[in-house]
Structure formats: structure tokens, C-alpha cells
């Protein structure tokens, strides 16, 4: 399977379309963590994010034939995830959450005070992100966490590049304001 791992998304999509389900498993392995992180930050709920990830990949598999540009698999996948989030959003009552770090440092590797400060900072950022409107949060997460280009984000969210750029700029400003950065700077 080492050779398959080096294949582009477009090559894997083509293989899936001719019946190679292992290629879809590889696409899932490539993007499952990233899609989960994105949906987790949007939903603020681990179980909901997991459910949406599963539904995202089911929809992607079922709709793969409709993907015109095979090179654009990643933005297309995130568009599916975004649309699923939006369709489920109205059904959920969003409540604050306390994020847990993905991994804890090895014993003795970090000063407990530093660990507490880092966790407090993570919680502040999570709270600030959570208070942003979904439209701002989604563009910022795709740009900063997933490293997507403005073009990929525009395609994923079905927006113009100009709208993506302005939303990211506003989201960054709002996030900085919420975190208390820029006060007294002049």
C-alpha cells in the first residue's frame, strides 16, 4: 500500500470510481483527522463532530462521481462537511464546552505551571473562537488549522475569494479583540 500512499487525491478518486474501495480508505485516512478537527471546532461537541465526519465521508463516497475536478477533492470534501454542519446546526442547542488537549506532555517534560497556563490559553482561544459567528469561524479554521488556500476555502464554502479574504480579516480582528490583543496599541 506504500505506492498508493504516494498517489495524488485525483489518482485515488479515479481508482475509487473504477471500484477500488481501498483507495477511498486511503482518502479517508488522509483527511479524517482534519475534517474531524474542523467539525469539532464548529460544533464544539465531540460526538456531533464524529457523527458529521462519518456522514461527510458517506456522502463523499456516494457523490464521488459528481466531482468534476479530481484535483479539488479536499475543498470538495470540506464543502460537504460545511453543508452538513449547516443543515444540522439549527437542530442543536450549542453550549459552551471545555476543550481537552489532543495529547498531554510526557511526565516531567513540562512545568505544571506552564501546562496550566497553556491549557488556560487554549480555553481562552476556544471560547473566543466559539463566540465568533459560524461564517467567520469556518473560514478562519480552514485557513489557520487546515492551511487551505483562499481559493480552496472559497471553493469549499461556495464563496468568492474576496469574501473569503474579508471574512478571514474580520475574524482575525474579532479574535484578537476577544483575546485582548491590540488594546492600547496605536
Amino acid at each position: 500500500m506504500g505506492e498508493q500512499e504516494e498517489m495524488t487525491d485525483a489518482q485515488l478518486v479515479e481508482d475509487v470510481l473504477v471500484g477500488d474501495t481501498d483507495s477511498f480508505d486511503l482518502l479517508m485516512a488522509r483527511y479524517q483527522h482534519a475534517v474531524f478537527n474542523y467539525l469539532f471546532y464548529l460544533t464544539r461537541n465531540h460526538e456531533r463532530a464524529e457523527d458529521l465526519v462519518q456522514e461527510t465521508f458517506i456522502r463523499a463516497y456516494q457523490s464521488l462521481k459528481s466531482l468534476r475536478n479530481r484535483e479539488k477533492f479536499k475543498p470538495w470534501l470540506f464543502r460537504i462537511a460545511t453543508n452538513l454542519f449547516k443543515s444540522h446546526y439549527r437542530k442543536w442547542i450549542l453550549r459552551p464546552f471545555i476543550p481537552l488537549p489532543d495529547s498531554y506532555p510526557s511526565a516531567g517534560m513540562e512545568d505544571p505551571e506552564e501546562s496550566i497556563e497553556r491549557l488556560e490559553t487554549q480555553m481562552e482561544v476556544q471560547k473566543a473562537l466559539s463566540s465568533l459567528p459560524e461564517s467567520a469561524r469556518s473560514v478562519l479554521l480552514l485557513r489557520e488549522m487546515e492551511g487551505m488556500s483562499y481559493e480552496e476555502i472559497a471553493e469549499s464554502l461556495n464563496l468568492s475569494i474576496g469574501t473569503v479574504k474579508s471574512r478571514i480579516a474580520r475574524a482575525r480582528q474579532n479574535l484578537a479583540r476577544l483575546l485582548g490583543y491590540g488594546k492600547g496599541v496605536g
Side-chain angles (χ1 to χ4, degrees), residues 150-155 159-168:
Y150 292 122
E151 293 80 12
E152 289 174 321
I153 296 168
E155 189 167 326
L159 300 169
S160 72
I161 292 175
T163 300
V164 168
K165 288 180 179 181
S166 66
R167 283 187 184 177
I168 288 172

Side-chain angles (χ1 to χ4, degrees), residues 130-141:
S130 297
S131 68
L132 292 175
E134 181 273 326
S135 59
R137 196 168 55 239
S138 61
V139 294
L140 193 59
L141 291 172

Side-chain angles (χ1 to χ4, degrees), residues 18 40 42 44 54 61 85 106 131 143:
V18 296
F40 178 75
L42 288 176
R44 297 174 272 173
Q54 186 175 12
Y61 185 78
F85 166 74
S106 301
S131 68
R143 180 70 178 170

